[in-house]
Amino acid sequence: MKRQLETIESVKKRLENFKGIDVEVAVNRGRRKIVKFDAKLVSIYPSVFTVSVPNSSESERSYSYTEVLCGNVRICPKNI
């Protein structure tokens, strides 16, 4: 079965469903360094989205849709 290609628009639409809910974020920092943390998806902008991280020195972090598309950032809802 052929895998359906994901586009930036489909990533953006998928993340719009997660807006305002708790999510698990996994960020690939390279050289087998994967950082995982719980956050809340706060805002969605044309090129980036922001997540709010409780109990962290950086209260908000922003990522681009291309990072999700390339697999460097993974986001999934926490309660599912």
Side-chain angles (χ1 to χ4, degrees):
M1 184 192 261
K2 199 176 223 184
R3 185 176 173 194
Q4 187 172 356
L5 296 176
E6 196 170 25
T7 64
I8 291 178
E9 287 300 318
S10 65
V11 170
K12 190 174 180 180
K13 287 179 184 178
R14 182 168 51 96
L15 291 179
E16 284 176 353
N17 295 329
F18 300 158
K19 187 174 180 182
I21 64 170
D22 292 331
V23 293
E24 292 178 355
V25 181
V27 181
N28 185 353
R29 297 282 184 197
R31 293 192 178 234
R32 292 184 250 170
K33 296 177 188 166
I34 297 176
V35 179
K36 294 181 181 181
F37 55 91
D38 295 332
K40 182 175 276 194
L41 187 59
V42 178
S43 301
I44 294 180
Y45 297 105
S47 299
V48 297
F49 60 94
T50 60
V51 293
S52 174
V53 184
N55 304 327
S56 175
S57 61
E58 301 174 24
S59 62
E60 281 194 0
R61 298 178 188 178
S62 62
Y63 300 101
S64 69
Y65 301 114
T66 55
E67 290 176 307
V68 175
L69 188 63
C70 293
N72 292 334
V73 175
R74 289 190 213 147
I75 296 183
C76 61
K78 191 170 180 181
N79 297 331
I80 294 179

